[in-house]
Amino acid sequence: RIPYLHSISMGIWVRSGSRFEHPELNGICHFIEHMLFKGTTRRSTLAIAKEIDSVGGVMNAFTSKELTSFYCKVLDENLELAVDLLTDIFINASFPDDEIEREKQVICQEIYQLEDSPEDLVHEILGIRFWKDDPLGQPILGTVETVEKLARSTMMEFKRDNYVPEETVICAAGNVDHDRFADLLERQMRHL
C-alpha cells in the first residue's frame, strides 16, 4: 500500500513462457496472451476495451521466456472494476474461432516485423544460437509454421494445464487496501 497515490497497478503473473513450450507448440503462450483480450463468456472484445477506457485505465499484457503477465492501471476508486476485468479475461476467455484465425495473421505479421528490425533480429538469433536445443532458445512469438498450426483445443488445454493457482501470482501496488483486494479476488477466483 502506498497511501499518498491515487492509483493502483494490478497484475496477474503466470509462470508460463516460451521456455515451457514443446517445440511444436512454440508461440502458444504469446498466442494465449493475445486471445485473453478477444472476449469472455461475459464480455466482447469491444466491451473489455470500453470498460477500461471509460475510467481512463490501461490494460495490457506481455509474454517472456519465463512468464505471461496481464496487468492494468486505474485510479484507486476503480479497483473493483480492475479486479473484475482482469479475473474475467483470465478465467473466462472464450477463444472465438474467428478471432483465432484473425490473430494468427496478426502474430505472423509480428514475426515478419521482427525480421525487419535488425537490432531485434540479431537479439533473437543470438538467443537461438546460444541456447541451441534448450527451450530458452525458442522465440517468444513462435514461428510462422507453429503459429499457423495452433488449434483452439490445443490452446484451451494448454491454458487449463498451465494457468493454475500454484503457477500464478496476483499482486497490486498503490493506494490499495490488502484485505479489500484479497476479498475481491476471493469472490472472483474462489473456484480456483
Side-chain angles (χ1 to χ4, degrees):
R1 182 170 193 190
I2 308 170
Y4 55 82
L5 293 180
H6 295 286
S7 63
I8 294 170
S9 294
M10 175 193 163
I12 301 176
W13 306 72
V14 184
R15 187 174 172 252
S16 184
S18 60
R19 78 172 304 176
F20 303 108
E21 300 168 345
H22 294 290
E24 66 276 5
L25 299 179
N26 183 221
I28 195 168
C29 293
H30 178 250
F31 206 131
I32 290 171
E33 172 212 318
H34 278 233
M35 291 308 300
L36 265 59
F37 290 88
K38 297 301 176 184
T40 71
T41 54
R42 294 176 40 214
R43 292 176 169 96
S44 67
T45 305
L46 183 59
I48 293 167
K50 277 185 172 182
E51 282 189 61
I52 196 69
D53 287 348
S54 72
V55 297
V58 175
M59 191 161 75
N60 211 334
F62 66 86
T63 304
S64 72
K65 301 275 187 192
E66 303 280 342
L67 59 89
T68 305
S69 173
F70 307 90
Y71 63 90
C72 66
K73 299 173 187 178
V74 294
L75 291 174
D76 53 5
E77 65 198 49
N78 297 309
L79 173 63
E80 197 165 332
L81 174 66
V83 169
D84 187 48
L85 275 170
L86 273 184
T87 57
D88 188 30
I89 67 169
F90 186 75
I91 297 169
N92 302 313
S94 57
F95 291 77
D97 288 323
D98 60 328
E99 291 288 354
I100 289 171
E101 291 311 309
R102 194 173 1 264
E103 224 40 46
K104 283 182 181 182
Q105 300 310 309
V106 169
I107 293 169
C108 287
Q109 190 61 39
E110 281 185 69
I111 294 167
Y112 294 134
Q113 286 174 343
L114 175 78
E115 294 170 357
D116 289 339
S117 172
E119 61 277 6
D120 293 336
L121 183 58
V122 165
H123 188 264
E124 191 72 36
I125 292 169
L126 176 64
I128 291 167
R129 297 246 169 102
F130 181 83
W131 292 107
K132 297 190 181 282
D133 295 328
D134 189 276
L136 280 170
Q138 296 185 122
I140 293 167
L141 301 178
T143 65
V144 170
E145 295 76 28
T146 58
V147 167
E148 287 179 343
K149 289 180 184 174
L150 289 174
R152 181 181 189 274
S153 59
T154 306
M155 285 187 270
M156 298 289 289
E157 182 180 340
F158 189 92
K159 183 179 177 288
R160 183 195 68 228
D161 293 345
N162 294 278
Y163 281 44
V164 294
E166 51 276 358
E167 299 295 341
T168 304
V169 171
I170 303 173
C171 57
N175 191 19
V176 59
D177 175 81
H178 175 80
D179 292 335
R180 180 169 179 245
F181 182 61
D183 287 345
L184 288 169
L185 285 171
E186 201 280 325
R187 268 189 262 150
Q188 297 291 340
M189 303 184 83
R190 74 176 59 124
H191 67 283
L192 297 179

